[in-house]
Amino acid sequence: PVDLIVSDVRMPDMDGIEMLKKVREIDGDVGIVMMTAFGTIATAREAFKLGADDFVQKPFNNEELKVIVRRSLERRKLATENRVLKKALRQQGQLSNIIGSSKKMRELFDVIEQIAGEESTILISGESGTGKELAARAIHDTSRRANQPFVAINCGAVSETLLESELFGFMKGSFTGAEQNRPGVFEAANGGTIFLDEIGEMPPSMQVKMLRVLQERKVRRIGSAAETEIDVRVIAASNRDLSPMVEAGTFRQDLFYRIAVIPIHIPALRERREDIPELTEHFIRKFSSRSNKAVRLSQDAIEALSDRNWAGNVRELEHTIERAVALTADGAEIGADKCAPHTNGAASLALRIPNEGLNLSDILRCLELDLLRQALSRSGGNHARVAELLHLEPHVVRGLIEKHDIH
C-alpha cells in the first residue's frame, strides 16, 4: 500500500496528468503531489480536479517540499480516520446523516457505498420526505469529490424563466436586472456534485438544454457566446415515477435514460417502521438540545408513532417531534396525545395549556414554521404566492425563510 506519490508532471514514458488518471483508477485514496518546471494554470487545475493534494513549482526548496509531503500525509491520515469513523457509524445504522438499521436501509447503505466511487449519473426516486437529498449528500460525502462543492437546486421551486439563469448563469446586461456576471449552479459545483431535485418538474424547453449539458459537459451563460467546460457529477431526484411521464411525452425519453444510469429508490417510512424509534430518539435529542430541555417519550407515544402510516415520511415525523417538544415542559414526558396527527386550519390552534405550563415562544415559532412550510409546498416555492397565501409582504416572506433557515 502506498500513502503518497510525488511525481513529475513531465515524465519520460508518460505525461504526469495521464499517470494521475491511471493511479486514480487503481486507488482513489492515495495522496499525490505533482512537481513541474513548466506549470500552467490549466495543468494545475487539471491536477487538482483529479485529486492532487498539492502542486509544486520547480525549482523548489527541499525543506518546503518536506513540509508539503508532511502536510499531505497528515491529510491522508485524517481521511483514513474519517473512513473508520464512517464505518463505525454505518455499523450503528447511520450513513452520513441518514439513520436506519432496518434491512431496507442497510441495503440502501450498501448501494450508496458501492456507487460512490463511480462517476455515472444517478436518479434517486422516493416519496416526498423520505430523504432523497440526504442520500445524494451521502453519495457525495463518500466519493472522491467529498472535499468539493455539493450544490442543490429544486427544479420545481424555480419559475421557468429563472431556472435557466440559475442553472447556467448569465452575463451582465443579458436581461433586465442582470447587473453583473453571475455563474450558475453548474459552474458553482465544478469539481463536485450537483443535485437536481424534482427534475420531473423541469419544463420541456429546459429538458432539451439539460440533455445537451449532460452530453457535452459544457454550459453557456445567458448572453454569452463562449462555453465553459464543467466537471460535475449529476444526481437527480424525483418524487414522481418518470416512466409514465416518458410514455405520456411530458418528460424526454433521451434525458430519462441519461439521468437514470444508476437508479436508487428510497423506501417510505411505513416500509421500515422498525427505524421509527431510532429516528424519533434522534429528533428528540436534536430539538431538546435546541430548546434547552430534557424531555423523553412515553412508551405509548413510541407505539403510536410506530403505528402511523406517515404520508409525509421522515419529514413529517421530524415536524411531529419538533411540535411535541415545543409543547412539553422541561423534564416532562411526551405522551401520545402530543404526537397526534397534525390538523390544518382553526383546529390546529385549539391547544390546551398543560398543568406544568408551556413555552409560548416555542409554540409560536413552531406554528409559524409549519404554516410557512405548508405555503411553500402549496406554491411550489413561489415566494410571491406564499406572500398571498399568508397575507404578508414579499420581503417579510424572505425574512421568515432566512429566519427559519429553509432551503
Side-chain angles (χ1 to χ4, degrees), residues 110-147:
D110 288 341
V111 170
I112 288 175
E113 290 180 339
Q114 184 177 354
I115 66 174
E118 305 295 330
E119 290 297 308
S120 304
T121 306
I122 297 170
L123 176 61
I124 303 176
S125 61
E127 297 178 8
S128 293
T130 50
K132 295 186 289 296
E133 183 170 347
L134 288 180
R137 286 185 180 274
I139 293 169
H140 172 78
D141 290 344
T142 51
S143 73
R144 69 171 181 84
R145 298 177 181 267
N147 295 325

Side-chain angles (χ1 to χ4, degrees), residues 334-349:
I334 299 175
D337 58 322
K338 290 193 174 74
C339 299
H342 185 45
T343 57
N344 297 325
S348 66
L349 301 177

Side-chain angles (χ1 to χ4, degrees), residues 246-275:
V246 171
E247 294 177 3
T250 56
F251 195 85
R252 292 183 64 94
Q253 185 180 56
D254 45 6
L255 179 59
F256 174 72
Y257 290 137
R258 177 67 65 173
I259 63 175
V261 177
I262 301 178
I264 296 178
H265 180 72
I266 311 297
L269 187 55
R270 61 183 174 276
E271 298 172 1
R272 54 183 187 105
R273 294 179 186 275
E274 56 268 48
D275 291 329

Side-chain angles (χ1 to χ4, degrees), residues 20-37:
L20 181 51
K21 290 179 181 178
K22 291 185 179 294
V23 168
R24 277 285 169 260
E25 291 173 2
I26 299 170
D27 188 345
D29 296 324
V30 65
I32 298 176
V33 173
M34 305 299 293
M35 304 183 303
T36 182

Side-chain angles (χ1 to χ4, degrees), residues 67-276:
V67 170
I68 290 172
V69 168
R70 191 178 301 116
R71 189 168 57 205
S72 296
L73 288 172
E74 288 173 355
R75 276 199 292 263
R76 293 297 106 197
K77 181 181 178 183
L78 287 174
T80 301
E81 291 174 351
N82 190 34
R83 285 195 299 275
V84 172
L85 178 59
K86 286 181 177 178
K87 184 176 181 181
L89 288 173
R90 166 78 171 79
Q91 292 171 345
Q92 295 174 16
Q94 185 170 347
L95 179 65
S96 192
N97 288 320
I98 311 176
I99 295 172
S101 302
S102 62
K103 182 175 182 293
K104 285 182 178 291
M105 293 308 291
R106 290 198 305 270
E107 291 173 350
L108 176 64
F109 294 165
D110 288 341
V111 170
I112 288 175
E113 290 180 339
Q114 184 177 354
I115 66 174
E118 305 295 330
E119 290 297 308
S120 304
T121 306
I122 297 170
L123 176 61
I124 303 176
S125 61
E127 297 178 8
S128 293
T130 50
K132 295 186 289 296
E133 183 170 347
L134 288 180
R137 286 185 180 274
I139 293 169
H140 172 78
D141 290 344
T142 51
S143 73
R144 69 171 181 84
R145 298 177 181 267
N147 295 325
Q148 301 300 319
F150 176 92
V151 182
I153 182 170
N154 189 321
C155 301
V158 185
S159 65
E160 182 174 355
T161 54
L162 291 177
L163 186 57
E164 183 176 3
S165 62
E166 287 290 323
L167 289 172
F168 309 138
F170 54 82
M171 303 300 291
K172 179 180 179 180
S174 56
F175 54 83
T176 303
E179 299 177 353
Q180 60 184 6
N181 297 342
R182 178 182 163 186
V185 293
F186 269 98
E187 287 185 69
N190 204 19
T193 303
I194 184 170
F195 176 59
L196 303 173
D197 197 10
E198 302 309 341
I199 195 169
E201 306 298 328
M202 183 175 286
S205 60
M206 282 302 303
Q207 292 179 28
V208 178
K209 296 174 182 178
M210 179 60 62
L211 178 64
R212 185 177 182 281
V213 170
L214 295 179
Q215 290 173 337
E216 304 296 331
R217 295 290 167 172
K218 293 178 182 178
V219 295
R220 178 186 292 130
R221 296 185 188 180
I222 298 175
S224 173
E227 291 187 319
T228 302
E229 289 191 11
I230 53 168
D231 171 30
V232 294
R233 183 180 196 174
V234 177
I235 302 178
S238 176
N239 63 1
R240 303 167 62 184
D241 186 355
L242 296 183
S243 297
M245 296 177 64
V246 171
E247 294 177 3
T250 56
F251 195 85
R252 292 183 64 94
Q253 185 180 56
D254 45 6
L255 179 59
F256 174 72
Y257 290 137
R258 177 67 65 173
I259 63 175
V261 177
I262 301 178
I264 296 178
H265 180 72
I266 311 297
L269 187 55
R270 61 183 174 276
E271 298 172 1
R272 54 183 187 105
R273 294 179 186 275
E274 56 268 48
D275 291 329
I276 291 177

